[in-house]
Amino acid sequence: MPITREFIENGPWKPDLFRGKVVFVTGGAGTICRGQTEAMVLLGANAAIVGRNVEKTEKAAREIEQLRSGAKVVACSGTDVRDVHSLAKAVEKTVQELGRIDFVIAGAAGNFLSDFNHLSSNAFKTVVSIDLLGSYNTAKACFEQLRKNKGSILFVSATLHYYGIPFQLHVGAAKAGVDALSNALAVELGPLGIRSNCIAPGWIEGTEGFDRLMGGNLKRKVPLQRYGKVEDIAQSTIYLFSPAADYVTGTIQVVDGAVWHVGSFIGDDVYPVRIIAANNEPIGKL
Ligand code: HXC
């Protein structure tokens, strides 16, 4: 569900919090990162969204632009985060059309379920290249703008690597790397006035990841007794980019209703790990 004006009318934020600022978002046409972009645009920012799919990215940009009169949203479509030169062109286009970049969301990700035995080396490399190398490339391509504007970068991570999640080892390995990347950037770039943080969404309903990866009704396992909403991630994003977080860098903001602390992601009803291990069968292309 798109984020609407009610988000600011009923929310705690000043409507012009990000006026004159520009946010650059990889994966901005996807559900979570689109929600983050929508919230930033509603609060006054202009935006560039970056995606591989031309039609999807262009359409999302036009739609997000409608959220606020005078908003500008640039579509950097046909951009693959695995290619730093492709990202450099997207940055160039953004600066040409919007003048600057203040905030960066590195959110582009790829994922599928696969057990280790059937995960090819190329499949592992593909996910690590999109999620981890893509995050590095995004920071790299935006660095000059971040330095010039004393900007802030937010990596979209996960909680998968906090414990062993079967069939997600490729993503878990990549996201662990993303956390490490962000922490080191916070230390290296802090003296330049650049902040670097991660946001780690939990079970956010209505997202591609949720629909593809989750099964069964697991709400009761969440300490807060509900699934997350895209809006929950948007709210934390605003906080981390706002002046309220001026002294917050090198952190990982988990937004998951405390579910990872419970540590019971896997139930036999959801992921039949033992059956697969016993039969040595692929889990199929989900
Ligand atoms: C097993 C798969 C696979 C699948 C791809 N591969 N999909 N293996 N199951 N479902 C393998 C291929 O067989 C191939 O290995 C290698 O990965 C590369 O595949 P390509 O299709 O050539 O790569 P590419 O076109 O670059 O796309 C890869 C992809 C794709 C991004 C991973 O699955 C895709 O386009 N997905 C849609 C976008 C997406 O994943 N969104 C999810 C976002 S949710 P071989 O050995 O055959 O050459 C998310 C949340 C993460 O990321 C956090 C969760 C909590």
Side-chain angles (χ1 to χ4, degrees):
M1 187 145 54
I3 289 178
T4 62
R5 285 204 66 78
E6 284 171 19
F7 179 81
I8 44 170
E9 282 158 9
N10 303 333
W13 310 106
K14 283 195 287 186
D16 61 350
L17 186 60
F18 297 121
R19 193 173 56 190
K21 305 288 187 186
V22 174
V23 62
F24 180 89
V25 189
T26 69
T31 317
I32 285 184
C33 299
R34 177 168 173 162
Q36 293 173 297
T37 311
E38 288 171 339
M40 296 291 290
V41 167
L42 277 165
L43 292 169
N46 288 325
I49 59 170
V50 177
R52 263 200 297 171
N53 185 310
V54 174
E55 204 180 316
K56 187 177 166 189
T57 309
E58 304 277 344
K59 182 169 178 281
R62 296 293 71 77
E63 288 171 358
I64 298 168
E65 211 167 48
Q66 302 306 311
L67 286 174
R68 178 174 57 77
S69 162
K72 285 188 199 161
V73 180
V74 170
C76 301
S77 58
T79 305
D80 191 328
V81 294
R82 288 169 283 193
D83 175 5
V84 74
H85 302 294
S86 176
L87 271 167
K89 278 192 198 137
V91 168
E92 197 183 316
K93 179 177 177 180
T94 303
V95 175
Q96 241 166 32
E97 296 194 19
L98 302 178
R100 57 193 288 139
I101 295 170
D102 301 275
F103 305 115
V104 176
I105 298 175
N111 195 9
F112 47 80
L113 293 173
S114 175
D115 64 305
F116 169 70
N117 190 24
H118 297 89
L119 182 72
S120 73
S121 174
N122 188 43
F124 181 86
K125 181 178 154 191
T126 299
V127 169
V128 171
S129 298
I130 297 171
D131 293 20
L132 177 54
L133 177 64
S135 294
Y136 168 86
N137 285 344
T138 302
K140 192 79 179 166
C142 293
F143 177 53
E144 283 310 322
Q145 282 296 310
L146 287 170
R147 173 154 61 181
K148 195 168 164 191
N149 301 318
K150 296 195 188 307
S152 179
I153 184 161
L154 183 61
F155 296 91
V156 181
S157 186
T159 58
L160 293 168
H161 48 295
Y162 298 177
Y163 47 115
I165 302 279
F167 317 142
Q168 287 284 272
L169 69 87
H170 41 319
V171 189
K175 296 295 189 182
V178 168
D179 289 0
L181 171 69
S182 174
N183 291 341
L185 285 178
V187 175
E188 276 200 41
L189 306 185
L192 301 176
I194 299 171
R195 295 186 297 114
S196 176
N197 290 287
C198 288
I199 196 163
W203 301 346
I204 309 299
E205 62 188 347
T207 62
E208 192 183 333
F210 183 92
D211 293 344
R212 284 167 63 189
L213 308 179
M214 299 284 289
N217 184 355
L218 300 175
K219 242 182 241 183
R220 68 193 160 75
K221 290 195 176 184
V222 184
L224 284 182
Q225 300 291 291
R226 70 168 176 87
Y227 293 133
K229 295 177 285 185
V230 170
E231 205 179 298
D232 294 317
I233 306 301
Q235 295 284 15
S236 290
T237 300
I238 293 168
Y239 163 67
L240 287 167
F241 282 148
S242 78
D246 256 2
Y247 202 54
V248 179
T249 189
T251 70
I252 295 158
Q253 173 74 68
V254 179
V255 185
D256 77 337
V259 72
W260 88 263
H261 286 291
V262 181
S264 58
F265 192 133
I266 314 299
D268 283 353
D269 52 332
V270 183
Y271 287 116
V273 183
R274 280 197 294 269
I275 296 168
I276 286 163
N279 295 342
N280 195 25
E281 286 168 0
I283 58 170
K285 296 213 166 188
L286 300 178

